[in-house]
Amino acid sequence: MRVDVLTIFPEIFSGFLNTSIIKRAREQGFLTVNLVDIRDYAGNKHRNVDDYPFGGGPGMVMQAEPIFLAVEALLPGENAVRPPIILLSPQGEVFNQDLAAELAGEERLVLICGHYEGVDERVRQFLANREISIGDYVLTGGELPAMVVIDAVTRLLPGVLGDPAGAREDSFAMGLLEYPQYTRPRSFRGMEVPEVLLSGNHERIRQWRRRQALERTWRRRPDLLARVDLSAEDRHLLEEIIRSARSEDRKTVL
Ligand code: SAM
């Protein structure tokens, strides 16, 4: 996958792109990130790309022209099929695992990082074809959101993770939160690893993990349960979980 990132702070990306799985994905050719400095398209010698808002108000607004020019240089030819041109914005659709999986199916993404008070509305209306928010909070710029999107999408590209089962079993990938994980030592300061994980019995381990995933999701994110397709075994496990939680509650009241 190729990702073009339009930003006024390309240097922010260097640690991210040169570390761990993202670095390896780039080295192995699964991911190419092309950082485009929007200031290279400024029409003035000071390389300014922002200006005061029409109508007044606080802060500065990123101008439309340098962003349009940068995208046009990347994607010459108006009629060509356009990849997703994504404006990172707190007003966009909220990013989640389904959206990451959808974007992982694309060959190319263009990400536009805003700054200051945001970008001229004409970028949103006439250039971007998608707008993504990484959550209901406001950051100083679109660079961290762009890294979040690149990270979540890259680990879903076939071949990037050594063991693809990892991504399949992650929280949200199956519609549930993931079961708890442990590693050595089996006893740490008197805290023990659940016996079942040491049993070597794969079927018992699978059932235990499924039950844990269901219970965690039921307790922490019941909204997710409403959307997931549960098997007959899941429904049975969930009934057991709810029954035993209710009986615990009764004991507490007594
Ligand atoms: N005034 C804008 C508003 O209220 O919608 C917020 C501008 S914000 C300070 C500057 C830039 O950071 C935005 O243009 C966007 O690119 C990025 N940004 C901030 N929060 C974001 C979020 N939650 N998701 C995606 N991008 C975000």
Side-chain angles (χ1 to χ4, degrees):
M1 166 179 280
R2 168 177 168 156
V3 184
D4 300 287
V5 184
L6 278 64
T7 169
I8 53 171
F9 295 113
E11 64 278 9
I12 293 181
F13 288 83
S14 73
F16 167 66
L17 292 176
N18 292 304
T19 308
S20 185
I21 292 173
I22 299 300
K23 177 184 183 195
R24 212 175 51 222
R26 291 174 57 234
E27 286 171 352
Q28 295 177 343
F30 294 112
L31 173 71
T32 302
V33 178
N34 173 35
L35 297 172
V36 177
D37 189 341
I38 297 171
R39 290 187 195 282
D40 290 346
Y41 296 88
N44 57 80
K45 68 173 191 296
H46 300 294
R47 292 166 57 82
N48 286 337
V49 292
D50 57 311
D51 210 331
Y52 294 98
F54 276 126
M60 303 296 274
V61 175
M62 285 178 69
Q63 292 171 299
E65 186 175 41
I67 300 176
F68 269 74
L69 289 174
V71 171
E72 284 156 6
L74 288 170
L75 305 170
E78 273 185 24
N79 298 323
V81 180
R82 301 212 135 197
I85 302 173
I86 300 169
L87 175 64
L88 281 320
S89 151
Q91 302 180 23
E93 61 184 307
V94 180
F95 192 57
N96 62 18
Q97 193 67 20
D98 286 345
L99 188 42
E102 184 188 329
L103 296 178
E106 299 285 346
E107 280 172 18
R108 186 171 184 182
L109 302 175
V110 178
L111 304 181
I112 302 172
C113 305
H115 244 277
Y116 314 120
E117 278 309 308
V119 302
D120 187 302
E121 184 67 15
R122 288 163 289 194
V123 170
R124 184 193 318 268
Q125 282 182 302
F126 302 110
L127 184 65
N129 50 28
R130 204 142 189 182
E131 206 177 329
I132 291 180
S133 161
I134 62 159
D136 290 345
Y137 40 82
V138 178
L139 300 162
T140 55
E143 287 74 15
L144 285 170
M147 288 185 245
V148 167
V149 171
I150 294 171
D151 193 289
V153 168
T154 301
R155 62 195 297 288
L156 297 179
L157 298 177
V160 166
L161 292 187
D163 181 357
R168 277 202 305 274
E169 290 180 11
D170 277 336
S171 296
F172 309 113
M174 309 282 289
L176 300 177
L177 301 182
E178 199 186 45
Y179 50 79
Q181 302 272 17
Y182 297 86
T183 187
R184 286 190 291 183
R186 56 191 287 178
S187 176
F188 168 64
R189 298 185 182 173
M191 295 176 268
E192 306 295 330
V193 170
E195 202 53 45
V196 59
L197 297 178
L198 311 169
S199 69
N201 182 329
H202 296 303
E203 179 52 19
R204 273 187 65 214
I205 294 172
R206 184 195 67 75
Q207 276 184 14
W208 181 86
R209 286 181 163 166
R210 191 70 188 168
R211 188 188 161 106
Q212 291 289 323
L214 284 162
E215 181 159 357
R216 288 205 150 182
T217 312
W218 177 66
R219 288 188 184 279
R220 299 178 187 196
R221 292 291 305 276
D223 57 305
L224 295 176
L225 272 182
R227 281 183 263 148
V228 71
D229 253 350
L230 295 177
S231 66
E233 183 195 25
D234 288 338
R235 275 194 290 275
H236 177 70
L237 284 170
L238 203 52
E239 279 161 21
E240 259 180 37
I241 291 164
I242 295 170
R243 221 179 303 123
S244 97
R246 288 204 179 124
S247 93
E248 284 300 311
D249 285 353
R250 268 198 298 277
K251 276 188 218 149
T252 320
V253 171
L254 292 173

